[in-house]
Every structure is written in structure tokens, then in C-alpha cells.
Amino acid sequence: MDNLLQFLSVAAWITVSFPIIRIVLAVLLVLVCLGLLVTVLMTPSQGYGIGALTGQATDTYYSKHKKQSLEGLIKKLTVIFGICAAVLSILFFVSLIIYPAY
């Protein structure tokens, strides 16, 4: 029984470092969320339906090669920042559950 309790106990350096880990996670989360905000604000509007009004074909060279343009890069960055924000927020709140701040 003592071996099991000793196995489940947390090392002292881990409990001491949790406040520092929490601060680092919070700063990273703020920076990632600011990056997400900037990329979302830089995303151009889609403008769906304009081709139907003007009679122009919507199947253009630009629409076929959007992934290689700046718009494609912004879309990829938005997804990356969103995933990072979700992972960091989960890690931050799990650290609060494991070691509550008093």
C-alpha cells in the first residue's frame, strides 16, 4: 500500500513549479489569441454571389490557386492559431484542476 501511495505522489519540484508553468501557459495563451485575432481580422471577405449578379464565371485562375496565395496562408495560420489556443486553454485549466491556486 505504501508503494502505491509513493507511486501516486507528486515530486516536490513539480508542485513548486506549477505556478510558474501556469504563468507561462497564460502568457502563451494570450499571445496565441492575439495572433488568432490578427489573422481573423486580416482574412478578406469571401464575396459569394457576386459572380451570379455580374454574370462572370466564378471558376477563375485565382479561385483554383487560392491555397498558394496570401489568403491560403492566412487561412492556414488561422487554423493553427485556433488549435494552439484550444490546446493551451485545456492545459491551463487542467493545471488549475491538478494544482488549485489559493
Side-chain angles (χ1 to χ4, degrees):
M1 185 68 174
D2 287 333
N3 290 338
L4 180 63
L5 291 176
Q6 186 178 10
F7 179 72
L8 293 176
S9 66
V10 179
W13 67 272
I14 294 175
T15 58
V16 171
S17 65
F18 257 105
I20 297 168
I21 292 170
R22 191 174 298 129
I23 290 170
V24 170
L25 284 174
V27 169
L28 287 175
L29 184 62
V30 167
L31 292 176
V32 167
C33 286
L34 285 174
L36 180 64
L37 180 70
V38 168
T39 56
V40 167
L41 289 175
M42 287 177 48
T43 304
S45 64
Q46 297 296 325
Y48 291 121
I50 293 176
L53 293 175
T54 59
Q56 296 176 347
T58 57
D59 196 23
T60 61
Y61 177 79
Y62 177 72
S63 67
K64 290 181 182 178
H65 296 90
K66 276 187 182 179
K67 290 183 181 178
Q68 296 149 353
S69 67
L70 181 64
E71 184 179 341
L73 176 68
I74 291 173
K75 186 183 266 189
K76 288 177 190 174
L77 284 175
T78 304
V79 170
I80 290 170
F81 279 134
I83 291 171
C84 289
V87 168
L88 284 173
S89 64
I90 290 170
L91 288 175
F92 179 76
F93 287 109
V94 165
S95 75
L96 282 176
I97 292 170
I98 292 173
Y99 186 79
Y102 292 27

